Amino acid sequence: MPSTSDTHALTMLVRKLESIAILSDEERQAILNLPAKTRVLQPGQDIVHDGDKPSQCCLILKGWACRYKIIGEGKRQILSFHIAGDVPDLQSLHIHTMDHSLATLTEATVAFIPHDNLRELIAQHPGIAAAFWRDTLVDAAIFREWLIGMGRRSAYEHMAHLFCELYLKLQAVGLAGSYCCPLPITQVDLADALGLTNVHVNRVLKQMREQSLITLRGHTLVIEAWDELSQVSEFDPTYLHLEKRAAA
Amino acid sequence: MPSTSDTHALTMLVRKLESIAILSDEERQAILNLPAKTRVLQPGQDIVHDGDKPSQCCLILKGWACRYKIIGEGKRQILSFHIAGDVPDLQSLHIHTMDHSLATLTEATVAFIPHDNLRELIAQHPGIAAAFWRDTLVDAAIFREWLIGMGRRSAYEHMAHLFCELYLKLQAVGLAGSYCCPLPITQVDLADALGLTNVHVNRVLKQMREQSLITLRGHTLVIEAWDELSQVSEFDPTYLHLEKRAAA
DNA sequence: CGAGAACTTGACCATCGTCAATTTACGTGG
DNA sequence: CCACGTAAATTGACGATGGTCAAGTTCTCG
């Protein structure tokens, strides 16, 4: 039987899935009955490593994480950012060998849920399976948009686009204020996500500040001019597929 | 009742899913009973367009297709290549608005299967649902690898990596010979996939030929030195997740 | 054989990377 | 509260990868 704190953890998963699909009372209860082990991790700590064959999934409750891969002599590419409610290694349910790593970017609270229980859950609740599937599809849509940014946008446009994306994602889960949101990552992290160097990220940030598009105080991003920011990056939020969707 | 040619089309889907999961006789039959409308398309023709809300999925039977998106003043980013057996818009089952387009690159034969029938199929056969889900997850894994190529590899390494990937994907479905495979696309297509210009693609190809890594005659890619090609691009096929996998 | 598409090449240029030196911010212990 | 040490941010000078523009050349196919 889950402890109080575990139930709290699973409430986060219920909330996430309800942003994707409509859950029945029974489905909601089935999720809350999942076993989960909660842990607090230090910043920069690996959760799952490239090549692992995990037997559990990780639900982020607090803080930020990222998927990344190291190639060559230590070059890192960040593949995605993850925040509270995300299950960044959901794919490990169906793809047994990790082809990248997952790590915290900040101090983070995460809950681990065994694959066996998740498999049982989706076997008995096709609506939940569909919601999970949809979640991984939105994930893929974000990868596609990052590909476009890397391939066909300038550093300036690409970064503006990322800021728009992060702001909307945080807003969707209630973690953003009015045109401002936490951005608890370093310029090196930003560079590794955008496929740039930290030096160039710094230069682009300077430019964006000079043009009064954003300010970045401490670890808070303030969007001073949303319209301009989304316009220079041709930001179209369609790919985030944020609209709520009934279970199949 | 499906016509003879439609049954032939669906055999392709059975074969594809059997490369992902083990199907029961019943599941195999259920797939073969799907209705499918087959059409032959000209090269460069759109199958589904950015913004559409399709009510059917597209199974490629012959030829090549790609997913792409146009941004700015006509800049195109190709997001993925697709060959016989692929269902490149499977995500439209769960994500209703297309956030990119799908088009043929060559003359192609494709079959269309209504969403309703696919939904019924997966509702009644969870094993097939799992196989489809897994397929979209491998798709996402390939996006991630392309992201790494764009962000952290040189043009030369990136292109070498793509050639390794395409060769293995074609080999997996029996469409490649011994270190040679069809590559029926233009240098402009290659450039739009790699995030480069056609001019630079041409220069990199010249370099690869000079170093006797590949030759590209007509629309056939010959890999003259697999070991070197995979080594310079640090190619690790794990992310293609080609090993066969039992249905859940 | 002719026309258009695809490919190839050269000259020049811009974005972004590299290297290295400061400066600033921040957490810890005194 | 201040001093100190380390990580993060910032800046400048210079260089390289890849883009732009433009002019051929070769292929393909009717």
Side-chain angles (χ1 to χ4, degrees):
Chain A
M1 190 175 297
S3 72
T4 309
S5 72
D6 288 338
T7 303
H8 174 69
L10 291 161
T11 301
M12 194 69 92
L13 183 55
V14 167
R15 205 175 304 163
K16 165 63 172 260
L17 287 176
E18 285 188 323
S19 79
I20 295 169
I22 293 168
L23 300 180
S24 68
D25 288 345
E26 196 195 340
E27 287 169 336
R28 199 173 300 118
Q29 199 51 54
I31 295 167
L32 292 173
N33 283 339
L34 285 169
K37 279 187 197 149
T38 299
R39 280 174 53 199
V40 176
L41 302 178
Q42 289 313 109
Q45 202 171 332
D46 266 18
I47 300 173
V48 196
H49 199 269
D50 199 357
D52 283 356
K53 294 178 190 292
S55 58
Q56 55 187 6
C57 284
C58 154
L59 167 64
I60 303 198
L61 301 175
K62 199 172 155 218
W64 281 42
C66 72
R67 292 195 263 184
Y68 73 94
K69 187 154 171 168
I70 303 291
I71 70 161
E73 295 303 319
K75 281 179 288 184
R76 178 177 68 156
Q77 177 65 49
I78 288 181
L79 303 162
S80 56
F81 290 117
H82 294 282
I83 56 178
D86 288 352
V87 184
D89 56 353
L90 194 53
Q91 90 276 342
S92 65
L93 264 186
H94 286 288
I95 289 190
H96 301 95
T97 305
M98 290 293 292
D99 51 40
H100 61 276
S101 301
L102 174 61
T104 58
L105 288 167
T106 66
E107 182 180 291
T109 311
V110 304
F112 293 97
I113 307 169
H115 279 180
D116 291 343
N117 302 91
L118 284 169
R119 268 192 256 276
E120 197 187 355
L121 179 75
I122 64 181
Q124 289 176 0
H125 302 279
I128 296 177
F132 275 141
W133 187 358
R134 183 177 143 95
D135 187 53
T136 61
L137 290 171
V138 173
D139 223 53
I142 296 174
F143 290 140
R144 287 193 294 269
E145 199 63 37
W146 282 35
L147 265 181
I148 294 163
M150 298 265 225
R152 290 294 181 237
R153 285 194 245 265
S154 69
Y156 190 92
E157 294 162 353
H158 190 188
M159 193 182 298
H161 199 276
L162 179 61
F163 287 158
C164 291
E165 173 184 311
L166 290 177
Y167 173 66
L168 284 194
K169 274 188 65 173
L170 286 160
Q171 199 188 44
V173 293
L175 289 173
S178 169
Y179 294 113
C180 88
C181 65
L183 191 72
I185 62 175
T186 67
Q187 292 182 8
V188 170
D189 296 329
L190 257 183
D192 287 348
L194 295 167
L196 301 170
T197 59
N198 57 338
V199 176
H200 199 64
V201 161
N202 187 277
R203 286 194 275 246
V204 172
L205 280 173
K206 185 182 177 186
Q207 241 188 303
M208 288 177 99
R209 269 188 304 246
E210 281 168 1
Q211 308 200 301
S212 301
L213 290 195
I214 60 151
T215 54
L216 205 47
R217 309 187 324 283
H219 281 155
T220 300
L221 169 69
V222 182
I223 297 176
E224 308 283 0
W226 170 264
D227 289 350
E228 263 192 84
L229 196 70
S230 54
Q231 202 178 316
V232 300
S233 60
E234 292 192 75
F235 183 76
D236 173 355
T238 307
Y239 75 99
L240 293 172
H241 302 284
L242 290 171
E243 77 291 358
K244 189 174 292 200
R245 158 79 190 124
Chain B
M1 191 175 297
S3 73
T4 308
S5 72
D6 289 337
T7 302
H8 174 70
L10 291 161
T11 301
M12 193 68 92
L13 183 55
V14 168
R15 206 175 303 164
K16 165 62 172 260
L17 287 175
E18 286 187 322
S19 79
I20 295 170
I22 293 168
L23 299 180
S24 67
D25 286 347
E26 195 195 339
E27 288 169 336
R28 197 173 302 117
Q29 199 50 54
I31 295 166
L32 292 173
N33 284 338
L34 285 168
K37 278 187 198 151
T38 298
R39 280 174 52 199
V40 175
L41 302 178
Q42 288 314 108
Q45 201 172 334
D46 266 17
I47 300 173
V48 196
H49 199 269
D50 198 356
D52 282 357
K53 294 177 190 292
S55 58
Q56 55 186 7
C57 284
C58 154
L59 166 65
I60 304 197
L61 301 175
K62 200 172 156 221
W64 282 41
C66 72
R67 294 194 264 182
Y68 73 94
K69 187 153 171 167
I70 303 290
I71 69 162
E73 295 303 320
K75 281 180 287 185
R76 178 176 69 155
Q77 177 64 50
I78 288 181
L79 302 162
S80 56
F81 291 116
H82 294 282
I83 57 177
D86 288 351
V87 183
D89 56 352
L90 194 53
Q91 89 277 341
S92 65
L93 264 185
H94 286 289
I95 289 189
H96 301 97
T97 305
M98 291 293 292
D99 51 40
H100 60 276
S101 300
L102 174 62
T104 58
L105 288 166
T106 66
E107 182 180 291
T109 311
V110 303
F112 293 97
I113 308 169
H115 279 179
D116 291 344
N117 301 89
L118 284 169
R119 269 192 255 276
E120 196 187 356
L121 179 75
I122 63 180
Q124 289 176 359
H125 302 279
I128 296 177
F132 275 142
W133 186 359
R134 182 177 144 93
D135 188 54
T136 61
L137 290 171
V138 173
D139 222 54
I142 296 174
F143 290 140
R144 286 193 293 270
E145 200 63 37
W146 281 35
L147 220 41
I148 294 163
M150 298 266 224
R152 291 295 181 235
R153 284 194 245 266
S154 69
Y156 190 91
E157 294 162 353
H158 191 188
M159 193 183 296
H161 199 277
L162 179 61
F163 288 157
C164 290
E165 173 183 311
L166 291 176
Y167 173 65
L168 285 195
K169 275 187 65 173
L170 286 160
Q171 199 188 43
V173 293
L175 290 173
S178 168
Y179 294 113
C180 88
C181 65
L183 190 72
I185 61 176
T186 66
Q187 292 183 8
V188 171
D189 296 330
L190 257 183
D192 286 348
L194 295 168
L196 301 169
T197 58
N198 59 337
V199 175
H200 199 65
V201 161
N202 187 277
R203 288 194 273 244
V204 173
L205 280 172
K206 185 182 176 186
Q207 243 188 300
M208 289 177 99
R209 268 188 303 248
E210 281 168 359
Q211 307 201 301
S212 301
L213 291 194
I214 60 151
T215 53
L216 205 45
R217 310 185 325 280
H219 280 155
T220 300
L221 169 69
V222 182
I223 297 176
E224 307 283 1
W226 171 264
D227 290 349
E228 262 192 85
L229 196 70
S230 54
Q231 203 178 315
V232 300
S233 60
E234 291 191 75
F235 182 77
D236 173 354
T238 306
Y239 75 98
L240 293 172
H241 301 284
L242 291 170
E243 77 290 358
K244 188 174 292 197
R245 158 76 191 128

